[in-house]
Amino acid sequence: MEKEVELSKLYGITKFAKEVIDVADNLRLAAGSIREQNRDSALYREVLDIEKLMFEKLSAYHILPIKSDGTPFDPNFHEAISELPSPSKEQEGLVLATTQNGYTIRER
């Protein structure tokens, strides 16, 4: 029973975190879209500031994005939607592109 209470304290924010992460991912998409059009605009800088603040707040609760691009594929953290031929021997088995970020809560 004690273990269940402790786990609930640590991971009780999971449902809320999923909702907030959707917002964070959309901010990232918005920043990318604006960057393509005008990276010097005030709107772009504001979206980046909001995105940075969002990730700082998530980090404060131990909610962190999983590093993917350029890292070895790990089926415990990554989900492949396709496999591409490696451009070089050094890139074999690496994640080449991320479609959607994954996140951990307290490394889980």
Side-chain angles (χ1 to χ4, degrees), residues 61-89:
Y61 289 91
H62 307 279
I63 302 166
L64 302 169
I66 297 170
K67 294 185 184 350
S68 297
D69 289 356
T71 64
F73 179 80
D74 181 346
N76 296 308
F77 291 104
H78 304 121
E79 184 176 327
I81 58 171
S82 66
E83 187 175 346
L84 302 171
S86 296
S88 68
K89 188 76 172 163

Side-chain angles (χ1 to χ4, degrees), residues 1-107:
M1 181 71 162
E2 269 184 49
K3 184 172 177 116
E4 288 176 11
V5 171
E6 186 62 29
L7 287 174
S8 178
K9 286 179 186 178
L10 291 175
Y11 302 106
I13 63 167
T14 300
K15 184 176 179 182
F16 176 72
K18 287 179 182 178
E19 299 291 328
V20 173
I21 286 168
D22 284 344
V23 175
D25 284 342
N26 282 315
L27 277 171
R28 182 165 285 155
L29 290 173
S33 177
I34 296 167
R35 179 181 59 241
E36 290 173 11
Q37 297 170 11
N38 187 354
R39 89 174 338 155
D40 296 325
S41 73
L43 176 61
Y44 177 65
R45 288 190 304 274
E46 288 297 322
V47 170
L48 286 182
D49 288 345
I50 294 168
E51 180 188 34
K52 180 181 174 195
L53 179 61
M54 173 76 75
F55 283 103
E56 286 173 0
K57 299 301 180 186
L58 288 170
S59 177
Y61 289 91
H62 307 279
I63 302 166
L64 302 169
I66 297 170
K67 294 185 184 350
S68 297
D69 289 356
T71 64
F73 179 80
D74 181 346
N76 296 308
F77 291 104
H78 304 121
E79 184 176 327
I81 58 171
S82 66
E83 187 175 346
L84 302 171
S86 296
S88 68
K89 188 76 172 163
E90 296 82 33
Q91 291 182 319
E92 277 186 23
L94 297 181
V95 176
L96 298 177
T98 302
T99 308
Q100 183 177 15
N101 288 324
Y103 295 83
T104 60
I105 298 177
R106 296 187 181 272
E107 300 179 14

